[in-house]
Amino acid sequence: MDDATLTFDRHRPRLQGIAYRMLGSMAEAEEVVQDAWLRWHEAAKDTFDSAEAWLVTVVTRLSIDRLRAAKVQREHYIGAWMPEPMLTEAPDTPEQLLERADNISVAFLAVLERLAPEARAAFLLREVFDADYDEVARTLGKTEAACRQLVHRAKVQVQEGRPRFTVPRETHERLLRAFADAAARGSLQDLKALMAEDVELIGDGGGKVQTFSKILRGSQRLAQLYYSLWRRMGPAVRMEMVDINGEPGMLRFLDGELESAQTFEIENDRIVRIRAQRNPDKLARIAQLFSSR
């Protein structure tokens, strides 16, 4: 590899991380990074004070442009829009667990959808990627004061939307195993007991598969939903625990085919929210990984 390629590849993980958190889509993030590579290849690199700063600026601005267009499209999205899930390795240390869950979880990415594109970029650069305000200002082409305001307002919105409690990983895994076991046995009462009374289910089918157009609520209703699937399909239903976006989650297979990727929010030892990604376009990467096993 030449020096330019080595430099770009050294910064690629950071660039990919920014684009994915901005767009909630790995496919779109890869396209943004590829576009940045083409611009990098043609740029006059000897004029840059910092290659990393130049690349971060390009990727951030490309992501902002894409997100503006995506927000218009998402206004006409069928059902709830949720980010594309990705499988991640289980963190090795408590510090890695906290860092991962704080900045890449499906719940966190869903909260980021509330932010305007520039506010989302400013928040991510400052709070997730630890950029100084002068770097944020240069990247966005704004004053430091304006960026401080953007970040402050974004932090308030994010804090309001985030899960209220941080749950120990052991608790998260224990509840998910119990939930998967209850679903596999078709135990209506055990399923209900694992969920808060006002639990809610959010599904994203993207108009590609049938799903509920509204949020479903209530432990009895959701327990019956999982129970009815067991009644219809029995052993053809399989749930496998994996790490999804830095947290324990479940993949559900029907007749060996990936049907959904499910993530769970937990409070007070009960499941309070389930997000079920069922859009086959957003499951394609995960499905391909399992089909090759």
Side-chain angles (χ1 to χ4, degrees), residues 95-208:
E95 291 77 17
Q96 288 176 335
L97 169 62
L98 181 61
E99 179 184 358
R100 182 82 59 76
D102 271 355
N103 69 45
I104 203 173
S105 71
V106 172
F108 176 65
L109 294 179
V111 172
L112 291 183
E113 280 296 302
R114 304 180 181 188
L115 304 180
E118 286 191 338
R120 185 166 178 166
F123 175 83
L124 287 170
L125 289 172
R126 175 62 184 165
E127 297 299 314
V128 175
F129 293 96
D130 201 29
D132 294 331
Y133 274 110
D134 61 340
E135 183 181 344
V136 177
R138 287 195 304 269
T139 299
L140 298 183
K142 293 182 176 294
T143 65
E144 286 191 38
C147 289
R148 289 179 185 275
Q149 282 292 322
L150 279 175
V151 173
H152 173 72
R153 291 169 184 167
K155 285 172 69 174
V156 171
Q157 287 182 269
V158 169
Q159 194 61 39
E160 289 174 349
R162 267 182 168 167
R164 291 178 294 172
F165 303 102
T166 300
V167 179
R169 185 179 180 86
E170 295 77 12
T171 301
H172 209 141
E173 291 179 342
R174 173 176 55 79
L175 283 174
L176 263 61
R177 288 193 184 97
F179 187 85
D181 177 66
R185 292 184 288 107
S187 175
L188 185 65
Q189 291 306 313
D190 286 349
L191 284 167
K192 184 178 178 181
L194 290 165
M195 295 185 279
E197 188 173 342
D198 58 350
V199 62
E200 60 182 33
L201 171 66
I202 306 171
D204 178 352
K208 305 295 179 69

